[in-house]
Amino acid sequence: MAQTGPPPMKAGRLYVNPEEEDQMEISGFRPHKLKTAVVWFFIIITVGLLRLFFYWLPHLFVKATHSRCSLAVATTVLLKDQWKDWFKSTVKTQDLTGHSKNTQTPQRAQASNASTKKGSGLIRYFICKKIKYIWDTEKKEFTRLRGFDKDKECTFFHQQTGLAYDEQRTRQVLYGVNSIRVHVMPIIKILFKEVLSPFYVFQVFSVSIWFADDYTIYASCIVFISSLSIIITIYQTRKMQRALRSTISSSTIVTVCRGGDVYEDISSEDLVPGDVIEVPRHGCMMQCDAVLINGNCIVNESMLTGYKVVRNNDTAGDIVIHTLVLLTIAVPPALPAALGVGIVFAQQRLKKAGIFCISPRGINICGTINVVCFDKTGTLTEDGMKMMAVVPSSRGAFRDEIRNMSKLHNPLIVSAMATCHSLTIIDGHVAGDPLDLIMFEAVDWVLEEPGEEETRFNMMVPTIVHPRTRNNSVPGDDSQSMGEDIGVVRQFTFSSSLQRMSVITRNLGANNFDLFVKGSPEMITSLSMAETVPANFHDVLMAYTQHGYRVLALAWKALPQKLNYAKLQRITREQVEKDLNFLGLLVMENCLKPETTPVIQTLREAAIRNIMVTGDNMLTALSVARECCMVDPTDRIILVQAYPPQADKTGPEIEFIFADEKEKKFGKDSIALQMDNDSFRFALTGKSWAVIRQHFPDLMSKIVVKGTVFARMGPEQKAQLVESLQALDYYVGMCGDGANDCGALKTAHAGISLSEAEASVASPFTSKKPTIECVPNVIRQGRAALVTSFGIFKFMACYSLTQFISVLLMYWIGANLTDAGFLVIDLFIVTTLSITFGRTGPCAELAKELPPFSLLAVAPILSILTQMAIQLGVQVYCFLHVMKQPWFVPYIDNEDDYYASYENSAVFLISNYQYITLAVAFSKGAPFRKSIFSNYLFLLNIAICLAGCLWISTVPTQGLADILELLPFPSITYAMVHVGIALFNFLISILVETYVMDNTSLQQSCRNFFKNCLPSSKTKYAAIEDDISGNPSWPPVSPSTVSLAVIFQRLDSAHHVPKDLNTAPGKEVLEDLIEESDIDPQITKSLDGVTHNPRSITSPNGVTPDLTQTATANYPQRQISSGDADYHVGRMEAPLLNNDTSSSNCGIDNPVLTTVEDNGKFTTTF
């Protein structure tokens, strides 16, 4: 079963963020003098090595020098997250004036704790993962410092009037500076972090040993190489940090309200939660998360062992040094640079393809990806849409669809399309959401916004829309024209969680306001009166969505006449977005990008699973999935419908239903899938996902393994899906283009953002080309880089072991390789080959098989062992064979450490060829990399190294021989025999690696043989697939013969919030906002005469209207009808706002009557 959420909490343990995704176990500690003294004693006698160990594992240092205590008196806390990572934080005390207090002693911590209890303004806190945790004196625990993003209703934000300076200062101390500080780390700090890493510590140790053993030249070269590697690392680190910092805008000046009419310009870094800020008319770069409480704005969202014979003249120190030299050979000095060279080349190739990476280490992980999640809109399909049709509805029935917008004469639908959007004018052009723009342009209306002249005297002038051609009647029709101006006086912006937006409008000269709502069809119908929704609503909706069309619904409602303008500014959307009249459907065509289908097919052919996770309609998602071949035509789609507990039900329910009704063949009770289980795929919505995650966690793993289409998924649910896939051992890629995908992009092993920017904070990879072609490219480069890293690691490991064998053979006769010999091997041959090794590019095609994920697998281990057996055999043979030559003179030990001898020459010369052989053997081509013959630099490197080895082996000059301390073979014939042995070594190594080690049957046989010794390679998802395949009776598909329309209707009803929101706790009813007295004609006399101070509501005579009068509204049942239309507004009867001293009743006897005729003429009367 896939773990969904944090692991279960253990009894007796303390936690922060309990039962949340970032749950962490916490422990308190305080200093212990005796333990600290003992630890530092051992640090001194170990010459700091123990302190270095604690530097690598700081949580152990805390446990060694501190004693555990309660959190109330702790000065240090240790936290462990669900991934077993440890974090150390210091508990600090601070008063709300900004002065810090030292809490390094438990007495002071206890005193500060007591002070906090007394309300002295002291706070105890610590910071972990950039999050501040405050001590709660009542609960006796640390709790996360939260802003206003949780547990706040919309009305809370509209009630904010700004913070006074003192309150702002207090919150600034509490919350800190409003800035994302991307520090460019100082060079000295990066230097120490690199030098103190385990590898470089070992390098320092190795170099010290080499200097002690008089390998001065070689040690000096290694110091130079290591220094160069550190310099390159420092440069790359600072370059990446600068690139990331450049994506974060610097601070700006913002205007904040200090209460009343007091406004002040401050730095954006001084903003705190609760500040009311002004967005300038010309726009700005937002420096914080904010809630828009008045006005309109548009947001741009585009933003990885040897035996040693002791010589008689050896001292104990010499023996120790020689032993340590053997240890230093085990870790090659060029290993870090060699392992990273493939990644560097891959990053350069990605950059040429327009794919930028801010986390190069994530490139290797891309090579392991076996499942990719795709967003739909803007990722698989085009960003832009085109208006395909409008399907009007009247009298509870759909009318003929209208494809020519010039023939659309339904005034309510036209008004809805002209007003229900978030468009605005920027630099003289209408701009905003592309979908809104398409809808608005379809009706060919004009948008006019108030300019600076209209707003300079605090006049609240609404946005006006009107037809481009006024008084434009239908030819031959004497009906009323649609050329009236409409003002948008209030807008409730689109919310992904609510799946809708709405506007409150007023026709010029009308006596009442209107509400238009646009959103997902399921949501709009749930808010509409049942008698206005066509009976065949779901059938018509399915007819469009099954063909991949994007469908939105429109609804309308006439608001009561005595709901005045002042009250509209206080009303909440929940109070008006109900009891709507369903108007019809907007059908838009969203085409697949031409690159989508070929890419999906490429990934499928490579056995990479594809998943669609979208916020769009289920049937639209299924249509797109079939169109782009994410789902085969023969695949059977099973809808997973999960229903939450109902009032009349005993508990939650889950149901499996075929999406293709024509393929259903049911028995009496329930059926099983009579086919290969691999040919079905699950599809479910975000609502069902939430129910399954909460009530059916045991099914989550099977749903995730078989799920292909996830529709109506929210941002958090997308991230949850990625986490569930990862918990089943999948390596997950995510590709998306919107803000809703950020969580999933960050969570995935490889997130690819389709953005014009070169660096995206949301994901390690950013493609400037907005198509999914980047996905197979990233995977191919990742596979090539991963195989390169594995090949280089095996090459470096075998190089070290080969050199280890050479040194052991030399130790056997009391000699060693020379200083110059080490230089030739390590610098001239190995270092150059390891660099050019990684320049081989990826194969053009994605292979079906996956590259090896682990070095502990059977294949790489067996490869290394086999190759080392070959090299060992050849070296020993040459070492013994040279001794049998008639001209052989044995090595004589000398005090000058002059190692020239025939034994040395035999071992040194054959080993040079072996290093070249190993580089070629491990530089594999297909199926993940191109052939080495495409890597011209590598071929040139091999040729130069081979030429050098032939020169040294056969006809070295005397000067070269003296430098290398080499004793050339006296016979050219024997030298050629030596070359022949090297050629034989090359052929055996290549043949074994190519035809034995890469043999899949042999690998499987070895895997089965060693399965009890090595970790199991079977993944969790593979085990679940086997379980599903072995159970043909699962899933139990429902025998219901009802249509999908009824099925979706049932799901919507099961998840539907009751329409009667008047009973919801803390919600004011609409009638509470209706004035008892008549409306002041000066306040609402006309749209262009409204005077409204955005900082206070005042009538023209200077008197502030009473907004808390008491009355009762009584609206008779009203029917808005015509010969071809039928809309209803139900009776509303509820108490108005009450006070403690008075109560009065007032009836409104004038019903609102709107008549809509067949010809499009409509009137509203009271």
Side-chain angles (χ1 to χ4, degrees):
M1 170 185 163
Q3 177 182 314
T4 57
M9 294 188 293
K10 300 178 181 179
R13 305 288 178 89
L14 300 177
Y15 294 86
V16 293
N17 311 320
E19 299 182 351
E20 296 183 22
E21 294 294 334
D22 52 352
Q23 169 184 299
M24 292 185 290
E25 184 180 331
I26 183 172
S27 303
F29 292 87
R30 56 184 178 183
H32 191 284
K33 294 182 179 180
L34 180 59
K35 294 173 70 174
T36 303
V38 171
V39 167
W40 277 101
F41 171 76
F42 283 103
I43 289 175
I44 293 173
I45 65 174
T46 58
V47 198
L49 292 180
L50 181 60
R51 185 65 187 90
L52 183 63
F53 173 77
F54 284 141
Y55 170 78
W56 294 332
L57 301 171
H59 67 281
L60 295 182
F61 182 71
V62 173
K63 292 182 177 180
T65 58
H66 290 60
S67 59
R68 192 181 293 267
C69 65
S70 68
L71 294 178
V73 296
T75 60
T76 302
V77 292
L78 289 181
L79 302 102
K80 183 173 68 173
D81 62 18
Q82 56 182 307
W83 295 280
K84 310 300 181 184
D85 291 330
W86 288 89
F87 301 90
K88 169 185 171 292
S89 296
T90 301
V91 180
K92 299 178 180 179
T93 299
Q94 189 176 32
D95 61 30
L96 295 181
T97 62
H99 296 92
S100 298
K101 306 292 182 181
N102 187 4
T103 59
Q104 296 304 310
T105 65
Q107 292 80 8
R108 290 185 179 180
Q110 193 167 3
S112 64
N113 189 26
S115 299
T116 306
K117 292 180 182 179
K118 298 175 184 178
S120 62
L122 290 178
I123 56 171
R124 294 181 67 236
Y125 70 93
F126 69 87
I127 298 176
C128 180
K129 296 183 180 181
K130 308 297 183 181
I131 296 176
K132 197 171 189 177
Y133 294 85
I134 304 293
W135 177 251
D136 190 321
T137 57
E138 296 181 358
K139 297 181 179 179
K140 304 294 184 184
E141 63 183 20
F142 283 101
T143 58
R144 177 191 293 185
L145 177 63
R146 298 188 182 273
F148 295 148
D149 56 330
K150 297 286 186 180
D151 305 324
K152 296 293 182 184
E153 297 180 355
C154 290
T155 53
F156 166 82
F157 298 101
H158 288 278
Q159 294 168 357
Q160 301 303 301
T161 58
L163 302 176
Y165 177 79
D166 292 340
E167 177 65 18
Q168 191 268 349
R169 176 59 182 165
T170 300
R171 294 193 184 187
Q172 190 175 49
V173 172
L174 193 62
Y175 288 97
V177 177
N178 175 51
S179 175
I180 300 177
R181 298 296 177 88
V182 181
H183 296 284
V184 177
M185 197 179 297
I187 294 177
I188 190 67
K189 189 172 183 179
I190 302 176
L191 175 63
F192 273 102
K193 289 187 68 174
E194 286 294 315
V195 170
L196 294 179
S197 66
F199 174 81
Y200 284 111
V201 169
F202 185 81
Q203 284 288 70
V204 172
F205 168 75
S206 301
V207 168
S208 302
I209 298 299
W210 294 331
F211 275 118
D213 202 26
D214 292 332
Y215 285 95
T216 306
I217 299 177
Y218 177 72
S220 300
C221 290
I222 296 303
V223 169
F224 173 77
I225 294 174
S226 298
S227 301
L228 184 62
S229 177
I230 292 175
I231 291 173
I232 294 174
T233 301
I234 293 173
Y235 170 76
Q236 291 180 337
T237 301
R238 287 174 62 86
K239 181 181 178 180
M240 184 180 68
Q241 290 175 347
R242 287 195 187 98
L244 186 59
R245 186 177 62 177
S246 66
T247 64
I248 309 297
S249 178
S250 58
S251 62
T252 59
I253 301 299
V254 294
T255 302
V256 299
C257 178
R258 291 298 184 205
D261 293 330
V262 179
Y263 283 79
E264 179 184 4
D265 291 338
I266 64 172
S267 170
S268 60
E269 294 186 351
D270 295 330
L271 290 174
V272 297
D275 270 332
V276 176
I277 65 175
E278 179 184 78
V279 179
R281 186 174 188 84
H282 56 77
C284 67
M285 182 72 72
M286 285 299 293
Q287 302 292 332
C288 62
D289 294 334
V291 176
L292 186 66
I293 59 177
N294 196 5
N296 300 323
C297 73
I298 296 177
V299 180
N300 184 358
E301 295 178 348
S302 57
M303 312 184 267
L304 75 132
T305 79
Y307 178 71
K308 172 68 175 68
V309 178
V310 182
R311 300 187 323 223
N312 293 332
N313 59 348
D314 276 348
T315 65
D318 294 330
I319 296 173
V320 171
I321 290 176
H322 289 315
T323 304
L324 294 176
V325 167
L326 289 177
L327 295 177
T328 62
I329 293 173
V331 180
L335 182 61
L339 290 177
V341 71
I343 296 175
V344 172
F345 285 127
Q347 187 178 11
Q348 291 176 350
R349 291 191 291 265
L350 286 172
K351 188 174 182 179
K352 290 180 181 179
I355 303 171
F356 299 89
C357 177
I358 62 172
S359 180
R361 295 181 181 179
I363 295 178
N364 273 355
I365 299 178
C366 294
T368 65
I369 289 177
N370 51 14
V371 58
V372 182
C373 298
F374 293 98
D375 179 37
K376 185 184 76 68
T377 306
T379 303
L380 299 176
T381 60
E382 298 285 357
D383 280 322
M385 296 185 182
K386 64 179 182 179
M387 181 65 67
M388 186 261 190
V390 173
V391 187
S393 171
S394 60
R395 289 191 173 185
F398 283 116
R399 304 303 172 186
D400 293 339
E401 71 174 27
I402 300 173
R403 298 205 173 197
N404 186 347
M405 294 300 111
S406 63
K407 297 181 180 180
L408 177 61
H409 304 302
N410 186 312
L412 290 177
I413 293 181
V414 172
S415 297
M417 295 174 65
T419 60
C420 196
H421 52 70
S422 58
L423 301 177
T424 188
I425 297 177
I426 299 178
D427 296 331
H429 298 281
V430 178
D433 185 89
L435 187 147
D436 287 345
L437 196 58
I438 293 168
M439 179 185 68
F440 183 72
E441 290 176 345
V443 295
D444 196 27
W445 278 42
V446 177
L447 176 71
E448 295 180 355
E449 288 185 335
E452 295 183 4
E453 291 298 321
E454 290 88 344
T455 57
R456 61 186 297 184
F457 300 110
N458 291 333
M459 300 282 290
M460 180 57 71
V461 180
T463 298
I464 304 294
V465 294
H466 61 79
R468 190 173 300 278
T469 304
R470 297 178 183 271
N471 301 320
N472 182 25
S473 300
V474 179
D477 185 7
D478 58 356
S479 63
Q480 175 184 341
S481 72
M482 298 183 299
E484 296 185 52
D485 291 358
I486 303 178
V488 181
V489 296
R490 185 78 190 277
Q491 180 188 107
F492 298 107
T493 56
F494 173 79
S495 168
S496 58
S497 60
L498 298 178
Q499 299 179 21
R500 65 183 184 270
M501 73 161 295
S502 63
V503 292
I504 297 176
T505 68
R506 195 169 200 173
N507 283 71
L508 184 63
N511 295 321
N512 73 299
F513 295 95
D514 295 298
L515 174 76
F516 291 100
V517 186
K518 176 191 69 179
S520 69
E522 302 90 342
M523 178 57 69
I524 297 302
T525 54
S526 71
L527 299 173
S528 299
M529 291 181 290
E531 57 268 30
T532 67
V533 179
N536 63 338
F537 164 77
H538 281 89
D539 292 322
V540 174
L541 177 63
M542 285 176 57
Y544 289 107
T545 56
Q546 282 182 329
H547 289 86
Y549 293 115
R550 178 77 179 272
V551 182
L552 296 176
L554 298 174
W556 162 81
K557 174 181 180 179
L559 298 179
Q561 180 181 4
K562 289 204 171 183
L563 185 61
N564 67 17
Y565 187 86
K567 291 298 184 181
L568 282 178
Q569 305 308 313
R570 297 181 54 230
I571 205 168
T572 64
R573 66 191 309 166
E574 292 86 357
Q575 295 166 352
V576 291
E577 291 177 348
K578 58 180 180 177
D579 298 326
L580 306 175
N581 294 281
F582 183 76
L583 292 178
L585 301 175
L586 297 181
V587 184
M588 299 185 181
E589 189 175 11
N590 188 206
C591 300
L592 277 177
K593 294 180 180 178
E595 301 87 358
T596 296
T597 301
V599 169
I600 296 296
Q601 291 176 332
T602 298
L603 295 176
R604 293 193 64 187
E605 290 170 0
I608 296 175
R609 183 180 165 200
N610 300 297
I611 294 176
M612 182 189 299
V613 51
T614 176
D616 209 343
N617 176 277
M618 169 59 77
L619 294 176
T620 302
L622 285 175
S623 173
V624 173
R626 288 198 182 277
E627 187 179 353
C628 70
C629 299
M630 189 175 290
V631 177
D632 282 336
T634 57
D635 285 346
R636 304 186 72 178
I637 303 298
I638 299 178
L639 297 176
V640 183
Q641 306 282 79
Y643 307 99
Q646 303 293 315
D648 56 345
K649 301 289 184 180
T650 57
E653 297 179 2
I654 190 168
E655 186 178 23
F656 300 90
I657 307 165
F658 281 121
D660 299 317
E661 298 176 44
K662 62 182 180 180
E663 298 178 347
K664 292 184 179 179
K665 294 182 181 179
F666 301 108
K668 292 183 179 180
D669 299 318
S670 63
I671 68 169
L673 295 177
Q674 303 298 322
M675 56 185 174
D676 182 1
N677 280 40
D678 287 339
S679 62
F680 75 86
R681 297 289 181 265
F682 285 142
L684 66 154
T685 64
K687 293 178 180 178
S688 294
W689 170 269
V691 174
I692 295 172
R693 195 167 184 263
Q694 180 178 1
H695 298 288
F696 301 96
D698 293 340
L699 290 179
M700 278 295 296
S701 56
K702 293 183 178 180
I703 299 296
V704 169
V705 166
K706 283 294 184 180
T708 298
V709 177
F710 297 82
R712 294 295 189 211
M713 297 283 280
E716 292 184 1
Q717 291 176 323
K718 290 183 179 183
Q720 291 167 0
L721 173 61
V722 172
E723 289 177 344
S724 298
L725 289 165
Q726 292 171 332
L728 295 176
D729 296 335
Y730 282 108
Y731 288 88
V732 187
M734 174 70 195
C735 184
D737 71 324
N740 289 343
D741 305 317
C742 288
L745 289 170
K746 291 180 181 178
T747 307
H749 290 105
I752 307 174
S753 173
L754 305 183
S755 171
E756 295 181 359
E758 290 190 6
S760 171
V761 183
S763 62
F765 296 93
T766 302
S767 174
K768 297 191 74 173
K769 187 177 181 181
T771 69
I772 64 171
E773 287 179 306
C774 58
V775 174
N777 198 350
V778 168
I779 295 176
R780 287 191 305 109
Q781 297 292 351
R783 288 184 174 185
L786 181 62
V787 171
T788 297
S789 296
F790 272 52
I792 289 180
F793 184 87
K794 291 195 294 183
F795 169 60
M796 301 299 282
C798 289
Y799 140 68
S800 297
L801 293 175
T802 300
Q803 193 174 76
F804 185 82
I805 293 171
S806 301
V807 172
L808 285 180
L809 291 174
M810 292 299 96
Y811 277 10
W812 185 266
I813 62 174
N816 201 348
L817 295 178
T818 65
D819 200 351
F822 277 120
L823 282 175
V824 169
I825 294 171
D826 290 353
L827 300 184
F828 177 70
I829 299 178
V830 174
T831 300
T832 59
L833 287 176
S834 63
I835 292 174
T836 57
F837 185 109
R839 198 172 177 273
T840 305
C843 275
E845 303 294 332
L846 273 177
K848 191 169 185 178
E849 57 266 34
L850 292 172
F853 290 178
S854 172
L855 286 170
L856 296 179
V858 173
I861 293 177
L862 196 60
S863 175
I864 292 175
L865 294 177
T866 304
Q867 290 295 338
M868 286 316 303
I870 296 173
Q871 314 315 318
L872 173 63
V874 171
Q875 278 203 37
V876 172
Y877 174 80
C878 292
F879 179 74
L880 297 178
H881 187 262
V882 75
M883 295 181 181
K884 296 179 181 180
Q885 303 307 310
W887 38 260
F888 173 75
V889 177
Y891 170 74
I892 300 176
D893 191 16
N894 58 85
E895 296 182 356
D896 296 330
D897 289 337
Y898 184 74
Y899 297 134
S901 65
Y902 290 123
E903 299 97 329
N904 191 320
S905 298
V907 172
F908 170 72
L909 294 176
I910 197 64
S911 68
N912 289 342
Y913 292 109
Q914 288 180 327
Y915 300 129
I916 300 174
T917 295
L918 291 170
V920 175
F922 291 133
S923 183
K924 298 181 180 180
F928 306 114
R929 301 202 315 164
K930 293 180 180 178
S931 167
I932 63 171
F933 297 105
S934 66
N935 189 346
Y936 301 118
L937 193 60
F938 185 55
L939 292 178
L940 178 62
N941 194 353
I942 291 175
I944 294 174
C945 291
L946 185 60
C949 291
L950 287 173
W951 179 33
I952 297 173
S953 299
T954 55
V955 286
T957 62
Q958 187 60 45
L960 178 62
D962 292 340
I963 293 174
L964 297 177
E965 296 185 30
L966 182 70
L967 186 59
F969 299 130
S971 170
I972 188 65
T973 303
Y974 185 79
M976 296 308 297
V977 169
H978 214 70
V979 174
I981 295 173
L983 179 61
F984 174 79
N985 188 169
F986 175 83
L987 293 176
I988 291 296
S989 294
I990 297 299
L991 291 174
V992 168
E993 189 67 23
T994 304
Y995 296 103
V996 179
M997 293 299 102
D998 292 343
N999 188 299
T1000 55
S1001 300
L1002 178 62
Q1003 290 179 9
Q1004 186 61 43
S1005 300
C1006 294
R1007 192 178 295 112
N1008 294 335
F1009 180 79
F1010 291 108
K1011 64 181 180 181
N1012 295 327
C1013 305
L1014 297 176
S1016 174
S1017 60
K1018 191 169 185 178
T1019 58
K1020 294 179 182 178
Y1021 68 82
I1024 294 171
E1025 289 176 343
D1026 292 343
D1027 182 40
I1028 295 175
S1029 300
N1031 185 9
S1033 62
W1034 193 90
V1037 182
S1038 170
S1040 174
T1041 58
V1042 298
S1043 66
L1044 288 183
V1046 175
I1047 292 170
F1048 283 118
Q1049 189 171 10
R1050 180 192 172 193
L1051 182 65
D1052 293 340
S1053 300
H1055 290 271
H1056 174 50
V1057 179
K1059 295 180 183 177
D1060 186 9
L1061 298 178
N1062 295 343
T1063 59
K1067 301 291 186 183
E1068 297 179 7
V1069 295
L1070 175 62
E1071 292 85 339
D1072 290 349
L1073 295 173
I1074 300 177
E1075 291 283 11
E1076 176 188 10
S1077 59
D1078 292 336
I1079 305 170
D1080 188 336
Q1082 295 187 60
I1083 299 180
T1084 59
K1085 57 184 179 180
S1086 67
L1087 288 175
D1088 57 354
V1090 172
T1091 59
H1092 175 66
N1093 188 323
R1095 298 165 192 171
S1096 64
I1097 302 175
T1098 308
S1099 63
N1101 58 12
V1103 179
T1104 302
D1106 183 6
L1107 303 181
T1108 59
Q1109 297 186 31
T1110 302
T1112 299
N1114 180 13
Y1115 301 108
Q1117 177 78 17
R1118 62 181 184 264
Q1119 179 170 329
I1120 304 168
S1121 60
S1122 72
D1124 193 35
D1126 194 0
Y1127 302 109
H1128 296 270
V1129 178
R1131 182 183 183 89
M1132 296 179 289
E1133 188 170 307
L1136 300 184
L1137 294 175
N1138 297 322
N1139 54 38
D1140 298 334
T1141 58
S1142 63
S1143 177
S1144 62
N1145 295 316
C1146 178
I1148 300 179
D1149 300 323
N1150 299 3
V1152 180
L1153 180 63
T1154 299
T1155 304
V1156 184
E1157 301 177 4
D1158 292 342
N1159 58 14
K1161 179 179 178 179
F1162 77 102
T1163 57
T1164 303
T1165 59
F1166 293 84

